[in-house]
Amino acid sequence: MKVLMVGDIVGSPGRLCFGKVVRRLLESGEIQAVIANAENAAAGSGITAALAEELFAAGATLITLGDHTWGQRGFDAAIGAERRIVRPANYPEGTPGAIAAVAETPQGPIGVVSVLGQVFMGPADNPFHAVRRAIAQIPANVPVFVDVHAEATSEKIAMGHWLDGRVAAVCGTHTHVQTSDATLLPKGTAYITDLGMTGPSHSVIGRQIEPVLKKFTTGIPARFEVASGPVKLEGAIIDLPRGTRLPSSIRAVRYVPED
């Protein structure tokens, strides 16, 4: 089974790109399952129940979130109804939403867990202990894919080694910049520090360039709207042999729709 993990989907350009690329990959048999980070899917901040359904219809098997989980009003009341979406496992106890999810595929079940980093991020519980508790909710025979939504590369790398041999993959998100370190760790877990971004290529991590430049050069606050123009889908494909919990390979990918 080949599982595509998709970097942060940004706004409507990212959603449209996701649909075009994922449908083609699924139809061609190049992949069999898709785990997508969609915490920026709604105008660049958060997600709604309707947009989650749009992404599932476009081919997402499971959806992970991040520090913008609550970016859209009312989603806290809607998240509990969808078991294919996981919010970060290290939000405080009592926060709505699942911290682990399992989906059936024709090639067998896969599980997913998400955690937030603590370095340079907003308040969150310890991700190293939280991820262990979340993984314990997934049956032992199910391969687990972990989304580490974090700013610091050191924290993501440390999480990879913390979980090496215990999970199928540890993939970072949040920076929107794909890294070149896709590898199998010593005990067999697939790892990449950041999957990258699915959204506008000519942008500053998905946002219009000029407002961001204004903020950096003048210090004056500006509204950062999602950019338009050419788009890309970035992520990684993890090859998981049938009946195993550890992968045989991981490779970073970048797709640009022809139109």
Side-chain angles (χ1 to χ4, degrees):
M1 171 167 51
K2 290 183 172 64
V3 180
L4 170 65
M5 291 192 73
V6 177
D8 302 51
I9 299 170
V10 181
S12 59
R15 300 196 310 271
L16 291 171
C17 179
F18 175 85
K20 289 179 181 180
V21 173
V22 166
R23 285 191 185 98
R24 177 175 63 81
L25 294 176
L26 288 170
E27 289 171 0
S28 68
E30 294 179 59
I31 59 172
Q32 287 77 46
V34 181
I35 299 171
N37 182 291
E39 69 128 17
N40 298 128
S45 180
I47 190 171
T48 65
L51 293 182
E53 286 304 316
E54 176 185 317
L55 294 174
F56 286 129
T61 309
L62 294 162
I63 288 175
T64 62
L65 301 174
D67 59 315
H68 293 303
T69 294
W70 315 120
Q72 296 297 311
R73 184 177 299 177
F75 188 64
D76 57 327
I79 190 172
E82 180 49 78
R83 302 302 296 178
R84 293 173 293 176
I85 300 175
V86 293
R87 51 87 168 168
N90 54 330
Y91 276 145
E93 186 176 352
T95 302
I99 64 171
V102 174
E104 293 293 335
T105 79
Q107 288 73 29
I110 58 172
V112 70
V113 166
S114 170
V115 289
L116 285 176
Q118 288 185 309
V119 181
F120 309 128
M121 300 282 285
D125 295 338
N126 187 293
F128 293 87
H129 301 310
V131 75
R132 291 271 189 91
R133 293 192 294 268
I135 290 168
Q137 295 191 10
I138 297 176
N141 64 323
V142 176
V144 180
F145 294 77
V146 179
D147 178 348
V148 185
H149 197 76
E151 186 77 34
T153 55
S154 59
E155 193 171 20
K156 296 179 188 181
I157 293 168
M159 183 64 75
H161 289 290
W162 176 252
L163 296 176
D164 188 16
R166 297 186 176 96
V167 300
V170 175
C171 295
T173 56
H174 180 65
T175 72
H176 296 204
V177 178
Q178 188 182 73
T179 55
S180 62
D181 59 344
T183 188
L184 295 180
L185 295 174
K187 297 178 183 178
T189 292
Y191 175 82
I192 186 170
T193 297
D194 205 285
L195 292 168
M197 178 189 75
T198 299
S201 300
H202 298 166
S203 68
V204 177
I205 60 173
R207 306 296 182 146
Q208 293 175 354
I209 295 170
E210 289 305 319
V212 178
L213 289 178
K214 178 182 177 181
K215 175 66 181 299
F216 276 128
T217 57
T218 69
I220 299 172
R223 185 175 178 84
F224 297 162
E225 301 285 358
V226 174
S228 57
V231 291
K232 62 183 177 181
L233 180 149
E234 293 179 325
I237 294 178
I238 297 102
D239 193 346
L240 192 69
R242 186 183 293 272
T244 67
R245 295 177 60 250
L246 292 174
S248 59
S249 67
I250 177 175
R251 63 184 176 94
V253 294
R254 178 180 295 117
Y255 298 100
V256 179
E258 292 181 359
D259 56 351

